[in-house]
Structures are given as C-alpha cells and as structure tokens.
C-alpha cells in the first residue's frame, strides 16, 4: 500500500493526491505516514566528469492503518527500520512492534484533538512534521559526527626527530585520545594511543595543513599528521583544541541520539567523566551499557533521559563511580547490586516511578546526596536512617502526606530537606524530641494548615510559601531566612527573638499588625509585608539600624512614624496605601535611600530633600503616580539631583517648572502621563541622559524639544492635542519608538513621514480635512484601544490582535499574546490566529470545538519556530448564537498560559479566563507531576516556563500542551467593557483596580495606556500589554443606532454630492468612466496605527444630516429608505458601500529563520513607512478575507465582468484589479488576479499569504497587485498619497422602484458636479454615549463607488457601465 516516488525534488502537497484521499474515506483508522529519507554527506569532488544525479532527501507517503506495525512497513518497502523525531530534536529507532500511525494519533489526542475525523485529517497534514516526523533511514548529521568521531587516512610521522618517515595510516580522534594504526590496514595490528587531555596541538608551519599532537607529562609522545585539505585541517584542529583544553578527562556525548557508545571510545581508558544524557542507549550490543565497566577510571556517569525502563545492573560493576545520574528513565525498582558502589557519593534517581529503596542502599557509607524527587514515595524511606553521610535529601513531587519530625531526628546527618509539591497535610511531633541537625527545610506548595517547627532547634532557612497556613511557630535561635508568603497567617510566633534573621517574606497574608519580635531582631535587612491588612508600622521598625529594604505596599497604612535618627534604609515601597503625607525628615534622615515608591496614595505634597539648600540625597528612582500632587512639588524634586527615574503620572499637574526640570541632569526616564499639562518645558533638553519620555493623556499642544537629545529612545505623546511637529534636519539614531496616536488635530506632511522612516516602531494617525462628501461613521457596538510597553527589555515580546468587525461583520475578535522573552511567536500568532479562527468557524459552530481547534491549529502553524519557543495566548470572540443569528451576543474566551481577560459587569470585575500555570492551578500541577516532569525550585517545567499550557514550546510535550481553557459568557446590557492583559499587567494591577481605572478614563485607548503606565509605576519592569474593549449591548442585543432628531445639532450640512447614474442607452445624462469626471480625494490620510487590527465602518456620503441611514440590526430591519433598496443590506457588513478601516501591523525579528516565513532579502521600498522591524499601515478596504470566506451578497451579474474574471467555486466574484486586504490580523495582504486558495498553496505564502522583507514587513507575492509597489508612484498621482486602482464592485448598484425612478433622475440631474481639488467644508459631529465616550475614527475619503452608485430600475435592469474606482490606502 505504498506510493512510490522518484528520487527528485517533489513538493509535499503534490504527493497527496486522489488515491490518498480515497484511502482516508470511510475509516478513521486509516491514514498515511510521511517518510523522509536520510541526508547524504557531501563527498569531496572526484576528478573527471561529474554527473548531476546526486541522491537527495526523499519524501514518500505510505498508506497504512493504525494497526500497521513498523515491521510491516519495512517489509513493504524493503527497509531496515524506521526512526521517529519529535519536535526536531532527537532521533529514536522504532521497535518492530510499534505502530507509526497510532503514534501520530496518540500524539494529536494528547495535544487536545477529540474528533477522530479531525485527528485523521491532522495526521495527514505535512505541517505536522515539525512536531513528529518519521525517517526511513537515520539522517546523517555531519556536525554531530565531527564531535563524536573523526577519522581518515593521512600521512603520519611519529616523534619530533627525522628518524621516522612519513607513512599513510588510519588516524582517529575519539573521546580524549588520538588513535593511530600501526599498519596501513587498520583492521589488523596494534593501535597507538595518544592521550590529549592537558597536551598540545600546534600548527606545523613548515608543512601545509599539518598539525603536531603531543600528550602531557614527562613521557610525552608526539605525532605529526598531514591533512589533504584545508577543511580537514580546520576540523581536526578545532576538535583537538577542545580536548587538550580540558582539565579533566571528560567526554560529553549528550543529545546525540546514540544507541551505543562509539567503538573507538573504549580506547580512551583515561576517561573519568562520561555524559550520555538524552540518548537512547541500549543495554546489550558491542557499545551497549553492558560494556561500560571497560572504563577502568570512570568516576562520573550521567545516563539521565535515556528511556531505559530498567536499572542497568552493569553500572553496579563500575566500582570507581562516585557520581551516578539515572533520572527520568522510567525506573520501577533499584537492584540490590547498588550496594557494590561503595565509592558512590551522589545518586540521582529523580523523575522515575520508584516507591521504595533496597536495604543494600544503606551500606553506601560515603553517599552524601540522594535525589528522589518526582517519584511515588509515600513516605521518607527508612533506609535513610542508615545512610549516615547523607546531608541533602531531595524528595520534591512525591506523595508524602505527613511528616513525623521524630523520624528526622533519627537521620543524624540530614541537614537539607526538600519536600516541595508533596501534598503535605501534617507535620507532627509526637514527642518533644529535638531535631538538631536540620538547617534548611523546603515545604513550598503543599496543603499545610498549621506548622509548628519549634523543636527544629537549628533551623536556619524555611520555605513554606503557597500553603494554607493560619499559624506558624518557629524556634528563632538560628533562623536566618523565612519565606512564608501566600498563606493565611494572622500572626507568626518565633521564640527566642531571631537575632540572626536577615530576610523575611510575609507578603500576601492576613497580618493586621507586626509582632514585637520583628522590631527586636537586630540583623533584619529585608522585610516584605506587602498585600496584608496592616494599618500602621511600628516606629522602632522604621528607625531600625539594620533594615535596608522595606516593602509594605498594598496595606491600609494612613501615616508613617517620624524618623528620629539616620537610618540605612535603601529601598522603601509604600504603594497602595492611604498615606496623605510622608515624614518631614524622610529624605534627610534616610540618606542612603535610592528607591521610593509611594504610588496610589493620597499625597498632596512630598517632603523636602534637605533642611538646607545643599542636598545629600542619593535617591535614584521615585514613583509618585496616582496621587494628588500639583505643580508645586516640582520645586521639591530639585534636591534629588541623582534622580534617574521619575514617574509622576496621573496627578494634578498643570505645569512643570522649567527651571526645576533643568536641574535634573541625570534623569533617564520621565513619565508625566495623565496630568493636565499644556506643554513640556524646553529645559527638558538639559536632561542629556534622558532616553524615555512618556507624557500621554495630557493637553500638550506643542511637541517638546527632545529630538536633539543624544540618547532618546522612546517618546510617547499619544492622546494629547498636538497640532504640528517642528523637526530638526535629522533625528537621533537612537530613537526607535514614537507614539503620536490620539492627536486628532495632528497633520504630518510627506516630508515629515520620510524623516520618521528609520524609526523602528512609529505609531501615528492622520486625519484628513473633511470633504463635502464626508459622512458620519456609525456608532459601533464595541470599540477597542490597546497599549504595549517594553519596559526595561530591549525588545517587545507582546502582540495584540484586534478586529472590530469579524466574519460577517456582526462579531469581533480580540487577542493578546505574550512570548515572555521571545518576540517571534507572538508576532506569528498575531498574523495567523484570526485567519485560523475564521477557518475553524466554517467547520464547527460549537464554541469549545472551534476555539480548541483554533489554538491547536495555530500551534501547528508555528512550524519550526514553535519547537523551542512559545507564548501565552488569549483569544476573545464576540458572536451571535449560531442557532439564533439575531439573538443575544455571546463572548467566547479561550486562553493558554498567563494572559487574562476581565469583563466589567455592573461595575464589578468578572474573570473570564483561567491562569494555566503551576502556581495557580492545582489540576495542572498534578497533571505535570504525573507526566514526570522535573519542576525546578522556581516552579518552572524543566526550568523553562511556569506555564503548563502554551502555544509553541513543543519540545516540552507532554508536560506543556497547547489545549486551551474555553469559557463562554452571554453578554447583557450591564456589561460595560472588556479588559485583556498579560501576566505582567495583572501581577501589578488587580482586577478591581483595572475596572475602576477604565471606568474613570472612558476612552479605550487612553484606558489601555493608563493600565500599562500604572503597572510600570507599581514596579513592573517586563513587557506589558493591555487591550480595552468598550461594549454597548442593549437589552435584546439590538445593534440599531438611536434615531437622530431633526433638532439635534450635527454640524453644518455638507454640500450636495454629484452622483453618477447608470441610465439606459442613449440617455444624454449617462456618464462613462472615460469621461474624466472623477472626484479628486485628499489622500494624505494615513494612520500608522497603534491599534493593530482595529476597524471602523464608514457610511455613504449624504447630502444632509437627515439623509444618513440609521444602522439597523437583524432584530429590527430597516425600512426602505426613500424607496431605494440596497441588495444584501440586512447586515452591517453586507452593505455594498461600507468600507472597513484596517490598521495593519506586522512585526518580526530579523533573525526569524526557521519558521517558514523567510524570503530573499530585499531593499526597503521608497515611499512606504517601513520602520525597521515593524510596518504599520491603515488601509481603506472594500472586502477582507473574512468577508470573502463568509460569502458575498447576491447581485445581478455584469456580462463585462464575467468576461474579465471567473466566479469562485463558492459564488464569489473574482476581480482582476481589486485590492483585498486581510483584516484578520496585523499582516498586510494585497491580492490581485489570484484566488486566496492559490495563495494558501504557495510555499512562499502558506503562513502569511505574503512576503517578508528584510526589515520584517510583509507584502504580497510579486505576481499579485502589490499595494506597496503602488506607493512608489504615489507622489506622482494627483489623487493622493496612496491610491490603488480597482474595478467596480458588481454589488455597487441601487435598485430604484419604477414609481420613484423619474424623481431620482431629476434630483440627480440637478446636482452640480464636484470639481476636483475643491472639497466642501464639513465638520464632524460629536456623538457621545451616556457611559462611554466614543471618539469616532477619521471620516473616510470619498470613493468613486460612493460618488456614483448605479441606479437600476427594478422592473428592467440595465447593463452596468464600468467605472474606474480608487481604493485609497497608506
């Protein structure tokens, strides 16, 4: 059942033909396996004529079923075996009885797929090869061969004298030795061994390509080897240099997919350390583990992650071993022969299935470290009582539910005990027997309700956070560090006073006061009591002579005690309290204070920096955000001349004293957002070290003089009242982020845009002057704004997806993706996830199914980028119930990782997501533990991520999965807005504070900006992302716009518009597209938006306020307007003249290579705002990918159009010169004369339907109508900065009833034609919602189809006259 293929280059998709599809039909247990051939090492070119028939890697589709074994597949194709590779990592030879197709099905099921038919379809997808791939032969890795074994026939001479002659010999470099055959035939005779560790390898200058190898010691031997080529010479020199540089005889063969030890390695008898981790070592065979005792000096052996299944008893015969690691091998038992290893000092058995240990283990008198973490032990093994030398015991992740302290007393040498993640419920002491030897005890992440360790007399360090402790009692004689956060503690009893205590963490508890012994402790340096309910701090605490760091934020403090004397305090965090003032002597008594955070209090002023004019302040970071400070505080800041970071956002500042700002010469970061500033003083130019200026949400009208600062990097002046920017001749090269969005009056010229072209991330929106035909855009059901901040990171690893009109135009989609420390995966998800959701909606209407499949498919589409990198993801989809298209709206939320969504309902937060991390979800912790993952002390899977579910990071499967948590909530009129944020945001801003913040700001964009600014001021230094979506849902989910009364002022009426009418043949009033009567638009309209994916609908131009049609919903259909019916006008998205405004943003790192998105580098295109790694464009589009998929409304066919293009299979019209822009995500897609399905099949566009330039931008393939190329000609065109010609849409026609036909014709004849370049004045009206203020998007430019809709009599449709149509975009 195999389809034979040629040994040529054949694409994968052409392999899957009708025969394979017929095979899959009818039985979900059938499928096909993609078999890849091994690569062939390039051989040196031989003399003589060369042929072109070199073998290449082959791909074959093998039809089989889930019951087909490897043995059967090999018999069909006369093969020797099959190999499997997971996530592009190691290769494993499959056993003859294993079933490849069943392995794929099991893998997909473990990922989260449930439907057998969908599993079958996914198994046949060639993209799955990035996660699981089968080979018909072992691929050859030249680099791996070089590091494990080098050999060849070379000219060799022994010794430094000329007594020996050069001879051809087999030379081998393996392990730590150089091996030289004594005779020409290497299979016979003696082998000369030259140990290289500590020796020398030098170049012989007298001969070309010659190396001298020398061993160490007084009896050193020397061999000269002359190589044939420079490549051989460099390869041997590089590898030998690593060996001679070692101080111990170490051989590292980890992660090489080895099944046996290389034969020549056994010649290296000086090996003391052998690392075979992450291989597939076999027990038997010439290089199997049974031969390891041949290494006579071996001291350290690492066999972890080898899928052994059983303990290799041959290892117990290596009597010289002092260190043995057999972690993660699925071991069930330990043999009694373990007692032979009398020299063993360290034994690691973590991540197995052990539940007991043999008594013979107790005879290992030198064993001092025993690792038993993540096994199945129900209690501490009794054999430990006999291991008198063991001082460190690791038993995290077992099943120990109770701990008897008396048993610890019998383990006389045990000092360090790790019992994390055990489900501990009790720690008991039946008698008062003292436990004297234990100094460090780790009880994190258990279920303890109370803990009394007073009998553990010499305890120095205790970790007990994330339990359920209500009471804690300790002995304080030796206590140095106490970590007890995230419990329910109301008090902590420690006796005697812990005079050695230096660090104590009691955050996130229920403390109402601090115990007296806290002030009596003489060496306390760091105290963290944040997130408690403290109402006061003891005066003795603040005046302590040892305290250096005090964290007391998120409490109920109303005042601080005065400082009586100089104190060594260096960091003071008092945010989120009720302080109205600070101690007068704070700054001149705490002269070492470098960090102060008093954000979110009620301060009206700050204390002076000194008592005299001369200040000794060393303060470097000051956070004053969210208080009641006014401009008078500026004078009090002057004394802090060492200040580097100043956040004074969201206060009552009307101005900032210019003379005072000039004194802060060392200032590097300044945040003045959310005040009432009209301007920023020009003296800001004195702050030569300033690199970040954030001043959004003010009333600033003049651009500050900051573009001459030598180190300026980030400027955020969004949501202000800027009107113009005066720029120098050149901008600083350091400026990489400029945000000017939300300045409604700002107009930038083309010259200014060119000057901004080098900025990596440029965010701005330009609004053209209202022309005579501008109309008022409809008020939407929802509107969004978002903000991203990189913090102190060098790159932004958060991306946002936002589509206000999704699918049929009635729904919406929003998402946020956080890559933690990588930016590739979030950008890929931003550009693909909307399309994937749209596709999945075609297959299923069940929310849990299509959301789950969207995440799983997006995980697959990450390709090679998702093998090692991953991201948290959250996706929200607002939609009607499929069974009730006109019914209520539902909000479906799906998420993996730590991104979160909160809905404001009746003014209160309603959590819609679930944080899928080890710390926050006990179910996920238990699942990961059962899968035998190693969880490090910082609660990260294999030390990589704290999230148990991510998109990407497939190499951590099955511990980290892409299956999302899905929840659906019905929306109602009480739902005000939706907040999406990443982990960094909600770690600092609580749900309640986030809701109150957005309620106070109203505007979604400004609200998102404020959330991010608050998080930064509260101490967040990571990437922050926030999305705010305002909701306007009526009681019955009605989407109708409120009627506009005639008396309501809506601005001056615009001048009448000329309308081209398609009349009957011979009508003198008929106008052709070649007549030259076209409207010239002001196309200097651009919005390089800060809101990737936002949309706003634009209406028909109207002749007056009353003529604007009301937006109606499916519950309340619109009545015919003046007798003119629009085909397909039942829904908002199907209105033929609706244009969606889609800011598109695609950003990729320049080193993104192995994800299938790279293309040949191209030079940046002139005339396009291409900002390094980010291109942000706003495009006026007539149809988008979502609308194409969901179908277009029916309209009369045009015979002329039928001649030029063909119908799509689903009835959609294909237009040759139309411009289709994808509104699914931030990617810009220009398509012309080519079907979407063709683009999906193209290898260059399979992921993004576009081509990535060297700067990270995405444009369409060359054979499509390229929007970016049109921009090159833009300055030459009179019609605007950026115009893209398009043919008339066949839907752009109005059906006029016969009774009104004559009236319409007369009215149109009476209108005067619009003269190009003379737009009439018009003022945009201001529409305000009672709850949310919705500033409307810029009014669109007039399109020809708006100016001249075709009016066709209903009784006798006339032929449609072709018109030239312009879609305007930047």
């Amino acid at each position: 059942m195999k389809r034979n293929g040629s040994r040529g280059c054949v694409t994968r998709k052409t392999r899957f033909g009708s025969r394979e599809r017929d095979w899959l039909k009818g039985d979900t247990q059938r499928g096909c396996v993609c078999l890849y051939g091994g690569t062939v090492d390039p051989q040196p070119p031989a003399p003589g004529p060369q042929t072109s028939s070199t073998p290449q890697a082959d791909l074959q589709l093998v039809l089989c079923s889930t019951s087909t074994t490897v043995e059967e597949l090999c018999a069909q194709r006369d093969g020797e075996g099959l190999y499997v590779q997971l996530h592009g990592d190691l290769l494993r030879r499959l056993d003859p009885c294993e079933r490849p197709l069943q392995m794929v099905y099991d893998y997909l099921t473990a990922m989260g797929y449930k439907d057998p038919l969908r599993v079958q379809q996914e198994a046949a997808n060639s993209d799955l090869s990035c996660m699981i791939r089968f080979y018909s032969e072992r691929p050859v890795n030249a680099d791996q061969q070089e590091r494990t074994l080098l050999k060849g026939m070379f000219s060799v001479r022994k010794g430094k004298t000329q007594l020996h002659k050069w001879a051809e010999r087999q030379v081998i470099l393996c392990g730590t030795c150089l091996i030289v055959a004594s005779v020409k035939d290497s299979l016979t005779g003696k082998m000369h061994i030259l140990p290289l560790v500590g020796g020398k390898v030098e170049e012989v200058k007298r001969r070309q390509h010659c190396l001298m190898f020398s061993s160490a010691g007084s009896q050193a031997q020397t061999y000269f080897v002359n190589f044939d080529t420079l490549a051989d010479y460099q390869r041997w020199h590089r590898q030998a240099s690593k060996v001679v540089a070692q101080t111990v005889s170490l051989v590292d063969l980890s992660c090489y997919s080895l099944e046996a030890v290389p034969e020549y390695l056994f010649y290296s008898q000086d090996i003391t350390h052998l690392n075979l981790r992450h291989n597939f070592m076999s027990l038997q065979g010439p290089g199997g583990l049974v031969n390891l005792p041949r290494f006579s000096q071996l001291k350290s052996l690492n066999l972890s992650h080898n899928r052994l299944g059983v303990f290799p008893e041959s290892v117990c015969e290596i009597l010289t071993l002092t260190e043995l690691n057999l972690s993660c091998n699925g071991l069930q038992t330990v043999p009694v022969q373990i007692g032979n290893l009398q020299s063993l000092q360290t034994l690691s058995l973590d991540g197995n299935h052990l539940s007991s240990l043999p008594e013979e283990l107790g005879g290992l008198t030198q064993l001092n470290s025993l690792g038993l973490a993540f096994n199945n032990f129900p209690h501490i093994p009794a054999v430990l009582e006999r291991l008198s030398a063991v001082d460190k015991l690791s038993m995290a992740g077992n099943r120990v539910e109770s701990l008897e302290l008396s048993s610890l007393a019998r383990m006389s040498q045990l000092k360090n005990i790790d019992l994390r993640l055990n489900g501990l419920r009790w720690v008991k002491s039946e008698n008062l027997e003292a436990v004297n030897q234990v100094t460090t005890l780790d009880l994190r992440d258990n279920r303890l309700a109370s803990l009394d360790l007073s009998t553990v007399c010499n305890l120095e360090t205790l970790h007990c956070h994330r339990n359920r402790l209500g009471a804690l009692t300790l002995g304080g004689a030796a206590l140095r560090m106490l970590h007890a956060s995230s419990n329910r503690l109301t008090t902590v009893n420690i006796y005697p006073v812990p005079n050695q205590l230096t660090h104590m963490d009691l955050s996130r508890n229920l403390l109402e006061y601090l115990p007296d012994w806290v002030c009596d402790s003489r060496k306390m340096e760091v105290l963290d009591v944040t997130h408690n309910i403290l109402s006061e701090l003891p005066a003795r605490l603040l005046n302590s002579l040892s305290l250096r760091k005090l964290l007391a934020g998120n409490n109920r403090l109303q005042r601080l005690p005065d400082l009586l004397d100089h104190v060594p305090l260096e960091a003071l965090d008092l945010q989120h309290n009720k302080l109205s003032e600070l101690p007068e002597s704070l700054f001149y008594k705490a002269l070492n204070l470098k960090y102060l955070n008093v954000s979110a209090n009620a301060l009206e002023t700050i204390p002076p920096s000194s008592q005299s004019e001369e200040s000794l302040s060393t303060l470097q970071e000051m956070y004053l955000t969210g208080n009641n400070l006014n401009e008078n505080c500026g004078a009090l800041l002057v004394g802090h001349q060492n200040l580097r970071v100043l956040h004074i956002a969201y206060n009552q500042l009307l101005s900032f004293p210019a003379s005072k700002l000039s004194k802060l010469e060392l200032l590097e970061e300044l945040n003045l957002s959310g005040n009432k500033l009209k301007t920023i003083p020009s003296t800001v130019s004195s702050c030569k070290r300033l690199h970040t200026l954030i001043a959004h949400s003010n009333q600033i009208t003049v651009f500050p003089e900051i573009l001459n600062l030598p180190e300026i990097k980030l400027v955020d002046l969004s949501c202000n009242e800027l009107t113009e920017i005066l720029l120098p001749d050149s901008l600083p090269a350091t400026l990489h982020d400029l945000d000017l969005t939300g300045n409604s009056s700002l107009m930038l010229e083309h010259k200014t845009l060119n000057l901004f072209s080098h900025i990596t991330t440029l965010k701005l929106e330009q609004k053209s002057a209202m022309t005579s035909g501008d109309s008022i855009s409809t008020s939407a059901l929802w509107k969004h704004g978002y903000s991203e901040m990189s913090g102190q990171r060098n790159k932004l690893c958060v991306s946002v997806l936002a589509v206000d009109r999704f699918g049929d135009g009635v729904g919406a989609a929003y998402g946020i993706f956080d890559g933690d420390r990588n930016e590739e995966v979030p950008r890929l998800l931003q550009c693909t996830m909307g399309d994937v959701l749209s596709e999945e909606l075609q297959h299923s209407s069940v929310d849990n199914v299509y959301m789950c499949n969207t995440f799983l498919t997006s995980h697959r589409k990450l390709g090679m980028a998702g093998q090692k990198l991953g991201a948290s993801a959250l996706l929200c989809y607002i939609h009607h119930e499929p069974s009730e298209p006109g019914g209520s709206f539902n909000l479906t939320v799906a998420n993996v990782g730590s991104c979160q969504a909160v809905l404001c309902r009746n003014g209160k937060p309603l959590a819609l997501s679930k944080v899928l991390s080890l710390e926050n979800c006990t179910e996920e912790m238990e699942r990961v533990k059962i899968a035998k993952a190693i969880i490090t002390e910082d609660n990260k899977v294999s030390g990589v991520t704290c999230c148990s579910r991510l998109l990407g990071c497939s190499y951590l499967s099955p511990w980290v999965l892409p299956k999302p948590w899905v929840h659906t909530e019905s929306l109602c009129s009480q739902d005000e807005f939706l907040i999406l944020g990443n982990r960094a945001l909600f770690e600092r801003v609580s749900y309640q504070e986030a809701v109150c913040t957005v309620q106070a700001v109203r505007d979604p964009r400004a609200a998102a900006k404020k959330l991010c600014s608050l998080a930064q001021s509260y101490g967040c230094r990571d990437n922050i992302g926030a999305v705010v979506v305002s909701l306007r849902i009526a009681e019955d989910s009605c989407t109708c716009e409120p009627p506009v009364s005639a008396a309501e002022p809506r601005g001056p009426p615009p001048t009448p518009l000329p309308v081209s009418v398609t009349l009957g043949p011979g009508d003198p009033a008929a106008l052709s597209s070649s007549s030259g009567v076209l409207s010239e638009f002001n196309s200097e309209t651009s919005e390089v938006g800060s809101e990737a994916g936002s949309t706003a609908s634009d209406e028909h131009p109207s002749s007056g306020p009353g003529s604007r049609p009301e937006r109606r919903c499916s519950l309340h259909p619109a009545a015919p307007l003046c007798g003119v019916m629009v085909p397909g006008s039942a829904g908002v998205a199907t209105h033929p003249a609706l244009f969606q405004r889609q800011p598109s943003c695609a950003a990729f790192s320049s080193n993104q290579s192995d994800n299938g998105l790279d293309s040949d580098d191209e030079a940046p295109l002139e005339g396009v705002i291409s900002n390094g790694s980010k291109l942000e464009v706003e495009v006026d589009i007539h149809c988008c990918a979502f609308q194409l998929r969901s179908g277009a409304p029916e309209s009369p066919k045009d015979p002329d159009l039928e001649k030029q293009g063909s119908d799509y299979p689903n009835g959609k019209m294909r237009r040759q010169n139309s411009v289709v822009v994808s509104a699914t995500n931030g990617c810009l897609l220009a398509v012309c004369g080519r079907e979407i399905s063709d683009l999906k099949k193209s290898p260059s566009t399979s992921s993004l339907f576009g081509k990535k330039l060297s700067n990270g931008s995405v444009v369409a393939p060359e054979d499509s109508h390229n929007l970016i190329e049109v921009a090159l000609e833009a300055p030459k065109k009179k019609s605007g900065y950026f115009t893209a010609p398009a043919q008339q849409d066949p839907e752009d026609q109005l059906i006029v009833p016969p009774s009104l036909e004559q009236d319409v014709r007369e009215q149109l004849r009476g209108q005067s034609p619009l003269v190009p370049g003379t737009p009439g004045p018009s003022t945009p009206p201001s529409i305000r919602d009672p709850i949310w203020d919705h500033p409307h998007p810029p009014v669109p430019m007039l399109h020809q189809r708006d100016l001249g809709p075709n009016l066709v009599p209903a009784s006798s449709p006339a032929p449609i006259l072709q018109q030239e149509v312009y879609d305007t975009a930047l």
Side-chain angles (χ1 to χ4, degrees), residues 569-583:
L569 197 63
E570 297 177 1
L572 180 61
D573 189 342
L574 298 169
Q575 61 176 290
H576 285 91
N577 280 287
K578 300 178 181 180
L579 299 173
S580 57
E581 61 179 0
L582 295 175

Side-chain angles (χ1 to χ4, degrees), residues 724-736:
E724 61 178 350
I725 300 178
L726 299 179
L727 298 177
D729 294 336
S730 61
L731 296 182
T734 56
L735 183 62
H736 63 73

